[in-house]
Structures are given as structure tokens and as C-alpha cells.
Amino acid sequence: MFGHKFYHQSLRKYIILMGTLFNDIYIERKNSSGNIIQTIKCPLTYAPREKVTARLEQNPSLTEQQSILLPRISFEMTTLMYDPARKLNTMNTWKKDPGDAATGAKIKHMYQPVPYDISFDLNLYTRYAEDATQILEQILPFFTPEFTATIDLVSEMGTKVDVPIVLESLSSQDTYEGDFETRRALIWNLGFRMKAYLYGPIRESGMIRTANVGFTGQYANGSYANTRSTAVKVKPGLLANGSPTTNAAASVSANTINSTDDYGYIIDFEDYFDGGT
């Protein structure tokens, strides 16, 4: 699309991040003496609320596979909306240092990501009110009302981003209706908004190895104090003999203009770079 083929799996990673946050929740059952007699890990699935509720209402008198066990947690991504409040200059670029210049490695860069808000619904299904309160107390203290997670979104660029996840709503529903044979389920719904970013294609360019700079005499009193001019070729990261170096001081000293004139030199024209692609 638009002449670029790329896929950073950003949305997939955001969904995995939400699932990871709630993938390790346990419920403990105790007897009258306060001793733990059972520990249950809440299964987590990516599914809409209506689908899970439909499974709950199936006839539990048939085979066990016809109904699902409680407690259970499900979540799903519901909406994706552009957030203009977090928009930055589109022309800002993210760059990755290629390392050793002598290897001829390319500089990788990408433009500023686009901010999007992703809404998620998290649903808790329990048979007993005590199970629901145990799950809620393992979730709510971490959201004040937001929780920030760090995620590696674009591995090629080494881009690790802090992603705030905001808890926006909390509601409950008791589906117990009808006779005593109807299965009861307490459902809690938690609404989250993730402040995410979507990234464009990665571009590559050559390193700038040479800069051609023109110098001329100082301008004063309506004319140049001296008409003499000179052009200098500066090679950042290289010695005077063209050999690569990581010694910044040596690189600069080998390419510095030293003038004994009392007026000095100033950059006046033709300041550009070449050697990049």
C-alpha cells in the first residue's frame, strides 16, 4: 500500500500485552478454619462477551464440553480511534546508529509514529461473589487509574515504548434469572483505553562521510575585509589520511581550519552534504 510493504505486528503486540497483564490470576478457596483447600487459575481467552455468555447458558446437564467452567476471564479489542492530542510533528525521525562506519552499514530511520487509542473490554465470569472480589482486588490496585507497561514494538529499530493503559469504567451484572436449574453467572466488565502508537515503514540511507563547506572573508562596513575565499572538505569520523576513527578529537583536529588573520573566517555559502543515499 502506498508503495511500501511492511508489517511491524504492532496491533498484535498490543493485544498480547493486554492478555499478558491478566494471564496469571488465581483464586483461593478456604474452609471454615481459614485453610486453603483449593487454588484455581482463571483461564483467559480472547473472545467477545456475547460468545462466552452464550456458552454459559447452554444446557449443563449434557456433556461437560457443552458448558464452560467458572471462574473465567475474557477480553477483546473493541475500537481503534485516532488521538490528535498526542500528535507530534510528522517529519520528526527516529534513527538507529549502524555502529562501525567502516563496515558500510546503512542508517535506519522512520518517521514519527501516529497516536491511536485502543479500547479493550475485560470481562470476569464467576459463580460466586467471593471469586469476583478476589479477582478484582488483584487488578484494581495497579490502575491509578492508569498502568504503564514497556513494550518492544519495532525490534529492528530497538524501539521500546512506555504504553499507558487507563481504566475507564467498571460495572457488574448478575445473569441469574429463571428457575433453580438455570446456571448463575456474575459478570464484571472493565473498560480500558490503551494509548498506543502505530509505526510506518523503515527506510535506509547511507552514512554522511563528506561535507563540502565554503568559507569567505568577514563582511564589514558594506564590503568584505578580504576577497580571499577557500573551500574545505570535512570528513567526520575520518583522519586526514581517510582512515576511520572513533576518536572525535583526532577527527576534528585533522579537519579544522586555522587562520592567522585578525578577521578570521565565517561560513557564507554552499554548506551541504554529499555521500548519502
Side-chain angles (χ1 to χ4, degrees):
M1 186 176 183
F2 302 115
H4 298 282
K5 182 180 179 181
F6 65 97
Y7 177 45
H8 303 306
Q9 298 183 339
S10 297
L11 292 176
R12 181 177 183 271
K13 292 178 180 178
Y14 288 132
I15 294 174
I16 293 175
L17 172 60
M18 281 296 296
T20 303
L21 292 180
F22 309 104
N23 194 35
D24 197 22
I25 296 179
Y26 291 84
I27 289 178
E28 294 180 346
R29 301 273 174 80
K30 299 181 180 180
N31 57 21
S32 58
S33 301
N35 299 320
I36 300 175
I37 59 175
Q38 187 181 19
T39 301
I40 303 173
K41 182 177 181 179
C42 297
L44 178 69
T45 57
Y46 184 85
R49 176 177 173 177
E50 291 75 13
K51 182 177 180 180
V52 178
T53 304
R55 289 287 305 276
L56 287 172
E57 294 175 350
Q58 290 181 2
N59 187 359
S61 63
L62 300 178
T63 60
E64 185 64 30
Q65 288 74 17
Q66 293 293 323
S67 60
I68 61 176
L69 300 177
L70 299 180
R72 180 173 293 269
I73 303 175
S74 73
F75 76 102
E76 65 170 331
M77 183 177 68
T78 55
T79 60
L80 185 66
M81 184 175 297
Y82 176 73
D83 184 8
R86 294 186 287 122
K87 176 69 169 64
L88 298 178
N89 189 343
T90 305
M91 300 307 295
N92 289 345
T93 57
W94 297 39
K95 297 182 180 180
K96 183 180 181 181
D97 186 358
D100 189 358
T103 62
K106 297 286 187 177
I107 297 177
K108 294 183 178 181
H109 63 92
M110 61 168 46
Y111 288 106
Q112 186 71 33
V114 184
Y116 272 85
D117 287 346
I118 307 177
S119 297
F120 287 91
D121 277 347
L122 181 75
N123 298 289
L124 316 178
Y125 311 88
T126 64
R127 184 175 182 182
Y128 307 106
E130 175 68 15
D131 293 347
T133 57
Q134 284 195 49
I135 297 175
L136 289 174
E137 288 194 17
Q138 295 181 59
I139 296 176
L140 299 183
F142 294 97
F143 294 89
T144 59
E146 72 177 28
F147 174 82
T148 302
T150 302
I151 181 174
D152 186 2
L153 286 175
V154 186
S155 300
E156 295 181 65
M157 298 292 292
T159 305
K160 293 186 178 181
V161 182
D162 291 337
V163 180
I165 304 172
V166 184
L167 175 61
E168 293 190 321
S169 63
L170 180 65
S171 62
S172 64
Q173 177 185 353
D174 191 343
T175 62
Y176 179 71
E177 295 179 358
D179 54 28
F180 290 102
E181 294 182 357
T182 303
R183 194 177 188 189
R184 183 196 184 193
L186 291 172
I187 302 176
W188 283 84
N189 175 264
L190 288 76
F192 295 93
R193 176 167 55 91
M194 179 183 291
K195 299 179 181 180
Y197 288 95
L198 297 180
Y199 293 80
I202 298 175
R203 296 174 170 84
E204 292 185 346
S205 61
M207 297 183 63
I208 297 176
R209 300 177 181 274
T210 303
N212 293 330
V213 184
F215 288 81
T216 188
Q218 185 176 5
Y219 187 79
N221 299 324
S223 62
Y224 287 101
N226 192 313
T227 58
R228 183 175 56 181
S229 63
T230 184
V232 181
K233 179 176 290 187
V234 181
K235 298 182 177 181
L238 300 177
L239 296 175
N241 60 6
S243 300
T245 179
T246 57
N247 189 334
S251 174
V252 172
S253 62
N255 298 280
T256 299
I257 306 302
N258 296 318
S259 173
T260 58
D261 299 316
D262 55 1
Y263 55 81
Y265 288 111
I266 60 171
I267 297 177
D268 183 62
F269 66 92
E270 202 175 359
D271 182 4
Y272 62 92
F273 298 97
D274 64 8
T277 55

